[in-house]
C-alpha cells in the first residue's frame, strides 16, 4: 500500500494547547503563502516522485490521501481539489481510495463541502474537541457545537463520511462535561470518533498557564476515568474500538491511519511532514551516496540511480519552517530536513509499538520473523522466538489476550497502560 499525507501549516489562530507545526501568517516567504500553497505542494509532489524513481521505488496506486494541519480548510476548496488532482496525475489513485481532509467547523459550509465532494473527497474529519462551551473556551476553540452539527449535516447531504475528534482532560472539564461531549458526538450520527487525552507542552500558552498556576494540571486518574466513560458509551452505541484512541462502526475505520499503524509506505508533503518507505535502494552515485539531506536541507531532485548497493527502510522529514521549505523547492530540491535508515531492530520496535495499539492485534508470528531478521537469535543455528507461555504474566495481569492465531490484543486495562505493555513486550523480545 502507498499513502499520501499533505500538511497544511496555516491556521486562523493558534489554540492554547497546540504545539503542531502551524502558523497564522498568510505569507511566510519563498512562495509559501496561503494563496500559493497548492502550487508549492504540487511542485514537491513532482520532486518526490522523481526521487522515488531515482531510488527504485515503484509504488502502487495511492490507497489513501489525508490533508491535515493546521487547518486544511483555511484554503479554498479548489486548492485542496487541485492538490488531489495532482496526486491522481503523478501517482494515480486507486478506485476505492479514501480521501480525507481535516476541517475546522468554523471554516466550512455546505458550498465548500459540496465542492470537496465534487472534487473526489470521500471523508471529512471535524475538529469538535468538546460540546461544552467553557471547555472550548479553555482550549481556545472558536467554533460552537452548532457549527459541528452543520458541518456533519452538510457532509451527509453531499455523500461524504464524517468523523469527529474529541479531547479529554482539559483543565476544568468535569466527568459530566465529558459525558456531554461524548453523547453529543454520538448523537451526531457519525460512524467514526477519535478521542485524545490532552497533552500539555511547556512551550504552549496552556503550558505556561499551568506552570504559572492559573490553570490546573491534567490528572492521569481523571483522564483514565474519562477514557472508560467514552469506551462504554461508544460500545453501547455500536462504535467499536479499533485503535487505542479510535472507535468506528464496522467498515468505517480510518484506512489512512490504519496504514500508519500497519507500517505501510507513505509520502509526507508540506513543512514538517514525515515520509516512510519500507524498502529503498541506495545507488552508487555521487549525489546519492547517502540518503540523508545535505547541509542546509533538501535532497537533490536529480539524484540518479546507478549500481544498487543496499536496500533498507527509510524515514524522512520535511524542513519545518515554510519559508525554508519553499526555498528548497525553488532550488529544485526535495525539501527534507533530514532522513534516517530504519534498521531491522528499529523496525521490530515499531512493529511492536504499533501492533499493540490495534484491536486486530500484534501478529506474534510476524514479530518472531522480525526478531530473526534483526539478527537477535542466540546463535546462528537457533531461532529466537517469543512464545505464548512467555506472555502468561501479562495475560494474568489482565493487560493482553492472545488469540488462537497468535495475535496479541491489549485489553481495556492494557490500553490504559499501553506504554507499560509495550515496555514489557520489549523486555521479552530483548530490545
Amino acid at each position: 500500500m502507498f499513502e499520501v499525507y499533505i500538511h497544511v501549516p496555516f491556521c486562523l489562530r493558534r489554540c492554547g494547547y497546540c504545539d503542531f507545526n502551524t502558523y497564522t501568517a498568510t505569507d511566510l516567504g519563498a512562495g509559501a503563502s496561503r494563496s500559493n500553497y497548492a502550487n508549492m505542494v504540487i511542485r514537491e509532489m513532482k520532486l518526490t516522485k522523481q526521487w522515488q524513481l531515482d531510488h527504485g521505488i515503484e509504488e502502487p496506486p495511492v490507497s489513501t490521501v489525508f490533508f491535515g494541519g493546521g487547518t486544511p480548510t483555511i484554503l479554498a476548496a479548489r486548492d485542496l481539489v487541485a492538490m488531489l488532482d495532482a496526486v491522481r496525475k503523478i501517482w494515480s489513485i486507486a478506485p476505492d481510495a479514501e480521501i480525507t481532509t481535516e476541517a475546522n467547523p468554523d471554516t466550512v459550509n455546505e458550498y465548500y463541502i459540496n465542492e470537496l465532494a465534487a472534487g473526489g473527497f470521500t471523508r471529512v474529519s471535524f475538529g469538535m474537541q468538546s460540546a461544552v462551551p467553557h471547555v472550548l473556551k479553555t482550549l481556545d476553540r472558536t467554533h460552537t457545537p452548532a457549527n459541528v452539527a452543520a458541518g456533519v449535516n452538510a457532509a451527509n447531504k453531499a455523500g461524504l463520511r464524517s468523523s469527529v475528534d474529541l479531547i479529554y482532560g482539559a483543565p476544568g472539564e468535569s466527568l459530566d462535561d465529558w459525558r456531554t461531549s461524548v453523547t453529543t458526538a454520538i448523537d451526531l450520527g457519525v460512524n467514526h470518533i477519535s478521542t485524545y487525552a490532552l497533552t500539555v507542552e511547556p512551550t504552549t500558552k496552556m503550558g505556561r498557564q499551568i506552570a504559572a498556576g492559573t490553570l490546573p494540571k491534567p490528572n492521569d486518574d481523571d483522564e483514565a476515568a474519562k477514557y472508560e466513560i467514552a469506551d462504554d458509551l461508544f460500545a453501547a452505541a455500536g462504535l467499536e474500538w479499533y485503535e487505542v484512541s479510535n472507535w468506528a462502526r464496522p467498515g468505517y475505520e480510518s484506512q489512512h491511519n490504519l496504514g500508519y499503524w500497519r507500517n505501510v509506505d507513505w509520502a509526507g508533503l508540506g513543512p514538517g511532514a514525515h515520509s516512510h518507505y519500507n524498502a529503498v535502494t541506495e545507488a552508487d552515485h555521487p549525489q546519492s551516496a547517502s540518503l540523508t539531506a545535505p547541509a542546509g536541507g533538501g535532497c537533490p531532485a536529480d539524484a540518479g540511480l546507478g549500481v544498487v548497493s543496499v536496500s533498507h527502510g527509510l524515514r524522512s522529514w520535511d524542513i519545518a519552517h515554510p519559508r525554508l521549505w519553499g526555498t528548497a523547492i525553488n532550488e529544485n530540491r526535495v525539501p527534507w530536513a533530514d532522513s534516517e535508515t530504519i534498521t531491522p531492530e528499529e523496525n521490530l520496535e515499531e512493529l511492536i509499538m504499533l501492533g499493540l495499539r490495534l484491536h486486530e492485534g500484534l501478529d506474534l508470528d510476524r514479530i518472531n520473523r522480525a526478531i530473526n531478521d534483526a539478527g537477535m537469535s542466540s546463535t546462528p543455528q537457533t531461532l529466537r522466538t517469543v512464545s505464548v507461555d512467555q506472555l502468561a504474566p501479562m495475560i494474568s495481569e489482565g493487560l493482553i489476550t492472545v488469540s488462537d492465531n497468535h495475535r496479541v490484543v491489549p485489553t481495556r486495562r492494557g490500553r490504559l497502560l499501553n506504554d507499560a505493555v509495550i515496555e514489557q513486550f520489549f523486555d521479552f523480545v530483548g530490545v
Side-chain angles (χ1 to χ4, degrees), residues 12 15 34 70 100 130 169 177 185 203 212 243 335 343 363 377 403 416:
L12 291 172
C15 298
R34 289 186 198 173
T100 304
S130 176
D177 289 337
T203 56
E243 191 273 340
T343 67
D363 185 341
S377 299
S403 66
L416 286 167

Side-chain angles (χ1 to χ4, degrees), residues 17-95:
Y17 62 90
C18 178
D19 72 333
F20 294 163
N21 189 37
T22 62
Y23 305 83
T24 56
T26 58
D27 191 332
L28 293 155
S33 65
R34 289 186 198 173
S35 60
N36 192 50
Y37 190 71
N39 295 327
M40 296 297 289
V41 169
I42 291 168
R43 290 174 63 187
E44 183 182 1
M45 289 182 197
K46 294 174 181 176
L47 292 168
T48 300
K49 175 65 173 181
Q50 187 59 54
W51 179 90
Q52 291 174 343
L53 293 174
D54 289 343
H55 290 87
I57 301 172
E58 295 186 13
E59 298 287 7
V62 174
S63 57
T64 71
V65 183
F66 193 101
F67 291 77
T71 307
T73 49
I74 202 173
L75 302 181
R78 64 179 176 274
D79 288 343
L80 301 187
V81 172
M83 288 185 274
L84 178 59
D85 286 343
V87 172
R88 185 176 292 109
K89 180 178 180 180
I90 292 168
W91 283 290
S92 82
I93 295 178

Side-chain angles (χ1 to χ4, degrees), residues 261 350-363 408-410:
W261 296 314
E350 290 182 3
L351 289 175
I352 293 169
M353 289 189 292
L354 297 169
L356 287 174
R357 294 185 64 86
L358 291 172
H359 187 271
E360 67 187 38
L362 177 66
D363 185 341
V408 182
V409 182

Side-chain angles (χ1 to χ4, degrees), residues 7 15 38 53 61 138 180 189 202 236 266 276 295 327 336 346-347 377 395:
H7 184 71
C15 298
L53 293 174
T138 299
T180 296
W266 70 82
H276 175 269
T327 297
W336 289 356
E346 289 169 337
N347 180 63
S377 299
I395 296 172

Side-chain angles (χ1 to χ4, degrees), residues 269-317:
L269 306 163
H274 286 229
S275 299
H276 175 269
Y277 298 96
N278 281 297
V280 176
T281 53
E282 187 174 348
D284 271 337
H285 186 281
Q287 287 181 303
S288 60
S290 170
L291 291 175
T292 57
C299 292
D302 62 346
L305 184 63
V307 179
V308 173
S309 57
V310 67
S311 179
H312 49 67
L314 178 76
R315 181 186 299 105
S316 66
W317 48 97

Side-chain angles (χ1 to χ4, degrees), residues 235-254:
L239 295 159
E240 301 175 1
W241 83 273
Y242 70 93
E243 191 273 340
V244 168
S245 299
N246 290 270
W247 290 257
R249 301 188 194 282
Y252 288 86
E253 299 85 356
S254 167

Side-chain angles (χ1 to χ4, degrees), residues 218-241:
N219 178 275
D220 289 344
D221 291 338
D222 173 73
E223 290 185 344
K226 288 172 179 174
Y227 185 93
E228 292 178 327
I229 288 169
D231 197 40
D232 287 339
L233 291 172
F234 291 149
L239 295 159
E240 301 175 1
W241 83 273

